[in-house]
Amino acid sequence: MDRLKKGMRAMITIFGEGRGFRVVWLLEEMGLPYRLRRVDLLANLEDDIEFLAINPAGFIPAMVDGDVTMVESIAIMEYLIARYGPTALAPAPHDPAFPAYQQFLHLGEAGLAASIYFVSGARNIAPAAERNNWSARQALDVFETRLSLVTRQLARSPYLAGDTFTAADISVTYALELAQRSGSATLGAAEKAYVARTTARDAYKRAMETCQATKAWAARVAGQ
Ligand SMILES: N[C@@H](CCC(=O)N[C@@H](CS)C(=O)NCC(=O)O)C(=O)O
């Protein structure tokens, strides 16, 4: 409390990797101090009283910034940009890049990650008879149709909002990597080249060093 009175901000805390990787990557791009608090969804979550007090719904990521508590990775990114920007990662509303930015920022979760997450669950966790059930096929179809919008945009520009890397690229890159690593969908050459471009950034590499579970998963997949 005393520290806050003297004008010093409390450290931004991100609970959990998964889609929390997006938020960590954004924080690295913006150069904001933060800490990552590990949340193990595979362990007995009921024992993680601190996390459940933050997010009783028990999913990750969650963010605490002073007296602000939030969930939903894209909403958290929008909050950080609005509160600690301006940043070149988010074009201003009157910038011609803004509509595409806004669309792909949300398509990365609502269209891509949300659908491929369930395909991944079906393929990797569900009982054998459920692996290719109707809902898994529908979710894959949703992912693939939305992906065609990414493919069309990448034929026009190197990044989803134009010539410049933005937070929309963080959102969509996460979804494409989730699809690839979980073996849920195959990417085309344009999407693979795009992911190679976005993940070559120093801030992505620093985020990977912070997110050790994500790093270990990526290494496991690469070694297969
Ligand atoms: N739309 C949410 C999705 C959050 C989500 O589903 N997270 C996964 C891990 S990346 C999770 O916690 N799954 C366990 C659960 O939903 O109980 C976001 O973008 O943050």
Side-chain angles (χ1 to χ4, degrees):
M1 183 55 102
D2 280 342
R3 286 193 321 135
L4 292 177
K5 271 190 198 148
K6 284 177 196 149
M8 284 176 68
R9 274 198 298 110
M11 180 78 84
I12 296 167
T13 303
I14 307 304
F15 288 77
E17 296 187 26
R19 275 117 153 149
F21 184 83
R22 283 184 175 131
V23 182
V24 170
W25 186 359
L26 179 83
L27 287 160
E28 288 289 351
E29 293 279 358
M30 292 180 76
L32 292 169
Y34 66 94
R35 77 179 179 104
L36 176 70
R37 163 37 166 93
R38 184 179 154 80
V39 176
D40 189 352
L41 290 178
L42 301 175
N44 203 355
L45 207 55
E46 283 116 67
D47 294 341
D48 195 342
I49 293 154
E50 186 199 13
F51 171 63
L52 288 178
I54 302 289
N55 182 13
F59 64 85
I60 55 172
M63 181 209 64
V64 174
D65 179 23
D67 54 9
V68 173
T69 298
M70 286 181 70
V71 296
E72 288 295 338
S73 60
I74 306 301
I76 295 169
M77 289 168 75
E78 289 187 307
Y79 161 84
L80 291 169
I81 287 166
R83 189 151 284 192
Y84 300 111
T87 161
L89 296 164
H94 295 293
D95 189 314
F98 183 73
Y101 164 75
Q102 192 68 13
Q103 175 189 291
F104 283 105
L105 178 67
H106 286 274
L107 188 107
E109 176 58 26
L112 295 173
S115 50
I116 210 65
Y117 180 74
F118 291 109
V119 179
S120 169
R123 294 268 166 90
N124 299 301
I125 305 171
E130 299 291 331
R131 294 219 166 125
N132 195 29
N133 70 19
W134 193 90
S135 296
R137 291 199 304 277
Q138 185 192 27
L140 182 59
D141 185 56
V142 168
F143 176 85
E144 286 176 342
T145 53
R146 276 52 168 183
L147 185 63
S148 69
L149 295 171
V150 173
T151 310
R152 183 177 70 173
Q153 192 73 353
L154 292 177
R156 297 169 173 161
S157 59
Y159 298 105
L160 294 174
D163 291 332
T164 310
F165 177 88
T166 68
D169 298 298
I170 295 179
S171 172
V172 170
T173 297
Y174 173 79
L176 300 188
E177 291 212 291
L178 173 61
Q180 267 190 313
R181 285 190 194 130
S182 63
S184 306
T186 315
L187 303 183
E191 291 87 36
K192 282 185 184 156
Y194 165 71
V195 169
R197 200 153 56 242
T198 55
T199 60
R201 298 176 67 82
D202 286 344
Y204 174 91
K205 292 176 191 158
R206 288 195 300 273
M208 267 298 206
E209 285 311 310
T210 301
C211 296
Q212 284 294 314
T214 304
K215 187 180 176 187
W217 182 35
R220 262 197 320 276
V221 172
Q224 273 167 12

